[in-house]
Amino acid sequence: MQNTRTLTDRFFLVIKGLAMGAANKVPGVSGGVVAFVAGFYEEFIYSLQRVNKTAFKLLIGGRFRSFYNFINGKFLALLFFGMIVSYFSVSKILDYFIKNYELYVWSLFFGMIIGSIYYINKDFKDWNYQSITALIIGTGLGVAVSFLDPATENDNLIFVFFCGIISVSGMTLPGFSGSFILILLGNYVLLLVDSVNALYDTFSEVITGDFSFIQNEMRIRLLKVLTMFTLGSVAGLVTFSHVLSYVLKHYKSITTASIIGFIIGSLGVVWPWKTTIYKLASDGRVMTDSRGENIISNYERFLPDLVIETYIAIAYIVLGIGIVLALEWYGQQTTRKND
């Protein structure tokens, strides 16, 4: 855990938060991969697992500075600031590019995941029976998840809390996409679109002195859903970080091999050449969300023809690999500088 950071380090930490936030929102992409490749995954997990009983005692006792230092607050604050900014800016830009240049965006992510597999594997030397088994199981789970059929939407608050716990897996567990898991659970649109839009609309109205949302049952329901989802996410973040901190300390080789497997398995989700399957109503119409956008159900993958569009997509895959290698280089420089 780094106690001192230069202004440049802080700036790049916010940039990493932006990248994590954007990655977490895209179905099939894991923000945890960004943390792993950029070289701050273990510090991230360590900082989160410091949010424990001791931390809460410091907070309740009014020792805010001690609490802030205990949980590595400077690191977490910069990172989460980047994620929050990303959600309302970078991820919106990403939505535009996915809508208009879908093949090339998926190709870029596909390349970045290939680069991530190379990055993690190149320094991993502890291959044995146990780690190879963990790799196979991790890959199998990743592939299996990518081919599951999604459930129907469920706004039961207990289930929403559970969704919150599961959704942060993409942030803490590289290779597992929290957004894609939410699609499979049937609640991606409800939790990452409708409820967030409801919060945005509510803030906009309150700023202008309009409190009419109190009488809007649908708005109140969505705000309750978002609150429960947030609580579940926080609970999941802290819980997962404690579990991962323990297994990284005691079973690092098996854990790393499993993570490599998860990331390999996630290639099936981000395969660039696929047809989007939309959710249909009982009368055969394509269902839409609150923004009028078609609701994604899953994807049908295929092998591409060798046309100019395919070659451009391959170029984006190479670019994605290059981005990860550049991140790796920066991570090594930062580590060397702080040693």
Side-chain angles (χ1 to χ4, degrees), residues 49 70 72 76 90 108 144 169 198 224-225 297 314 317:
Q49 64 99 21
F70 182 79
N72 197 14
L76 289 178
V90 176
L108 186 68
S169 62
K224 285 180 179 177
V225 163
S297 173
I314 292 171
I317 291 175

Side-chain angles (χ1 to χ4, degrees), residues 108 111-112 114-116 315-329:
L108 186 68
M112 290 177 73
I114 291 175
S116 302
Y316 273 99
I317 291 175
V318 174
L319 176 62
I321 295 171
I323 289 172
V324 171
L325 295 181
L327 278 172
E328 176 200 356
W329 176 84

